[in-house]
Amino acid sequence: MVRRGIANVLEGIGYYGVQRPQTTAAPFLIVWNFTKQCNFRCKHCYENAGPKPAPDELTTEEAKHAIDEFANAGVVALSFSGGEPLVRKDFFEVAKYAAEKEFYVSVASNGTLITEKIAQKMKAADVQYIEISLDGFEKTHDEFRGIQGAWKRTIDGVKNCVEAGLDTCVATTATHYNLKEIPKLVEFIEKDLHAKRFIAFNFIPVSRGKEIVDQDLTPKEREELLDFLYSKLIDNNSKLDTFSTAPQYAVTSYKFAFGPVVATHFTNRAASEMLKGRTKSLTEFIGGCGAGRLYCGMEPNGDIEPCVFIPIKVGNIREQNLVNIWRNSSILKQIRNRELFKGCGECEYKYICGGCRARAYAYFNDLQGPDPGCSINQKYWEEVKSSQIIGQARLTVQGHR
């Protein structure tokens, strides 16, 4: 696995040259929406998952063939998502097959199907990482996930994974529904659930998420949340690692090491000294948003996308070679060219962050557009909010006719 990862990076340098940020020879990670089927009805679902699988999902043998293709391409990590991946009857067979092919195998789940037996079965299948969604305390979570009683079952799932010795992360999509709960939720996850990690997902108004676009965080709220998470990350008294999918998190760490430091970062001076001078080279190489550059998504039917939150087909694993898709897609080339980004391309942090391409596409229908979720792009956030107000006014007028 380590050898494959090093080879992927070095081959990427060999093919693309040394870049800021770097593109790997093949996706380092593929997030595989294993099925459209789900036992939840979440407000923000990017997959618009429901109670039935899609009619054209990959068969078990096709899934294994895809894994063979990924191995040949040099992919390192495979994350099973959905829908709810555990509802597919062949999940364990396919996950075990991926582990035998020396992939780093992870699972993103709502946790409600993870009994003690299922947790042990995942451990036996060599699942190395489990990420379970928890979007607040009971009332908030059940409302957001669309199922009464979901919170208690999710909590049981987290506890079963921790007890089984799985590397367990709790994931929260940060919105106005739960923003004020997150600090206490993080404390609960650390002290009561004993998970190893917490990750705050960027809200992307795509698919079902478009219906709650008004619940997105303001740039200031997002930055304050990232500051809080980073202060927890470097706190020696905290046993919980805290991360975010927001590419601006890389800027948070960069500013901490090289520029103005928010007060909460002084919780650990030893960590401060340790990190100084080591952040810039890594952040510019990794480069924040990895969509179409370090990672891609795959739909249940084998469609390859730049990111699971960017619903643009760039190829299909049933029909095409993964490396050919990765190297030749004009869509992926657009995403990689940060010099042409609007807003984000003019920013001093364009190589460190680059803005979330999924948010740029969701808000502006432009893969090279600005991510309005950061204070540097405040004018684009104001533009978004103005257009939402105008759109709502039009709907109101039409409703009175």
Side-chain angles (χ1 to χ4, degrees):
M1 187 188 306
V2 174
R3 189 181 300 114
R4 188 188 295 176
I6 294 171
N8 193 346
V9 173
L10 292 178
E11 287 175 20
I13 293 172
Y15 184 80
Y16 296 104
V18 177
Q19 297 175 313
R20 290 190 307 167
Q22 190 63 44
T23 301
T24 48
F28 199 89
L29 162 70
I30 293 179
V31 176
W32 183 351
N33 293 331
F34 198 48
T35 180
K36 281 265 190 185
Q37 189 174 4
C38 188
N39 57 334
F40 274 16
R41 186 71 182 173
C42 305
K43 291 180 182 292
H44 68 311
C45 184
Y46 63 82
E47 190 66 9
N48 197 24
K52 295 181 180 180
D56 59 348
E57 294 184 1
L58 298 181
T59 65
T60 303
E61 290 309 308
E62 287 177 320
K64 290 180 178 179
H65 179 75
I67 289 169
D68 291 339
E69 171 68 18
F70 298 158
N72 291 335
V75 177
V76 178
L78 193 57
S79 178
F80 290 88
S81 187
E84 172 52 54
L86 293 177
V87 301
R88 261 190 70 153
K89 294 180 179 179
D90 61 353
F91 166 77
F92 287 102
E93 179 181 350
V94 175
K96 182 65 174 176
Y97 186 80
E100 289 170 351
K101 293 290 182 177
E102 299 185 345
F103 284 93
Y104 180 90
V105 176
S106 62
V107 178
S109 170
N110 61 43
T112 58
L113 303 179
I114 305 178
T115 61
E116 291 182 12
K117 182 178 179 181
I118 292 296
Q120 291 291 346
K121 200 171 179 180
M122 282 197 288
K123 183 75 172 177
D126 291 327
V127 170
Q128 298 190 47
Y129 177 79
I130 175 74
E131 187 176 274
I132 297 177
S133 298
L134 187 68
D135 287 297
F137 290 98
E138 188 166 5
K139 184 177 183 297
T140 302
H141 181 76
D142 285 3
E143 180 184 344
F144 197 67
R145 294 284 164 175
I147 300 291
Q148 290 299 310
W151 190 83
K152 292 178 180 177
R153 293 166 60 197
T154 297
I155 293 300
D156 287 343
V158 173
K159 290 179 177 179
N160 290 335
C161 288
V162 171
E163 185 66 27
L166 289 164
D167 189 354
T168 306
C169 173
V170 173
T172 293
T173 299
T175 65
H176 286 148
Y177 282 108
N178 61 7
L179 180 61
K180 292 180 179 179
E181 292 185 23
I182 288 177
K184 288 186 178 179
L185 184 67
V186 167
E187 183 179 358
F188 173 72
I189 291 164
E190 177 184 358
K191 296 182 178 179
D192 292 78
L193 299 185
H194 306 294
K196 290 185 178 181
R197 292 180 180 85
F198 171 82
I199 186 164
F201 268 73
N202 234 358
F203 168 69
I204 317 291
V206 64
S207 190
R208 209 178 295 156
K210 292 177 182 177
E211 299 172 12
I212 58 167
V213 65
D214 61 325
Q215 297 298 311
D216 196 4
L217 304 186
T218 67
K220 183 179 179 181
E221 288 169 335
R222 180 172 287 98
E223 288 182 8
E224 288 175 349
L225 174 61
L226 297 181
D227 286 343
F228 164 73
L229 294 175
Y230 196 72
S231 71
K232 290 288 292 182
L233 180 64
I234 63 168
D235 183 356
N236 274 346
N237 293 319
S238 174
K239 297 179 181 179
L240 185 71
D241 290 334
T242 47
F243 301 104
S244 175
T245 62
Q248 291 85 4
Y249 200 45
V251 177
T252 302
S253 67
Y254 175 81
K255 285 181 176 179
F256 169 66
F258 293 94
V261 180
V262 298
T264 52
H265 285 157
F266 287 107
T267 53
N268 188 333
R269 291 185 180 273
S272 173
E273 293 303 314
M274 179 185 71
L275 289 172
K276 279 184 178 177
R278 299 186 180 186
T279 305
K280 186 177 182 182
S281 58
L282 286 173
T283 51
E284 288 196 343
F285 185 83
I286 297 170
C289 180
R293 188 177 55 80
L294 302 176
Y295 127 89
C296 71
M298 186 169 78
E299 286 294 290
N301 66 354
D303 284 347
I304 302 296
E305 300 171 333
C307 166
V308 293
F309 295 101
I310 301 177
I312 301 175
K313 178 182 176 181
V314 297
N316 186 284
I317 204 65
R318 281 173 165 149
E319 306 161 359
Q320 295 158 279
N321 175 280
L322 179 64
V323 172
N324 286 341
I325 297 170
W326 190 250
R327 289 183 177 179
N328 299 316
S329 166
S330 60
I331 296 294
L332 299 185
K333 289 176 181 178
Q334 280 185 53
I335 291 176
R336 294 166 186 165
N337 190 353
R338 295 191 178 179
E339 304 300 325
L340 298 181
F341 288 2
K342 300 177 185 70
C344 297
E346 302 155 16
C347 178
E348 63 177 305
Y349 304 119
K350 65 182 176 184
Y351 300 126
I352 294 172
C353 169
C356 174
R357 292 303 91 206
R359 286 174 57 82
Y361 186 70
Y363 276 113
F364 296 101
N365 197 33
D366 185 355
L367 289 169
Q368 295 182 325
D371 175 356
C374 137
S375 60
I376 297 173
N377 280 342
Q378 183 70 32
K379 65 178 181 180
Y380 296 107
W381 175 254
E382 300 299 335
E383 182 181 324
V384 163
K385 299 312 290 182
S386 295
S387 65
Q388 288 175 357
I389 291 169
I390 292 169
Q392 187 59 47
R394 285 174 179 165
L395 287 173
T396 302
V397 170
Q398 290 171 0
H400 286 296
R401 286 178 180 173

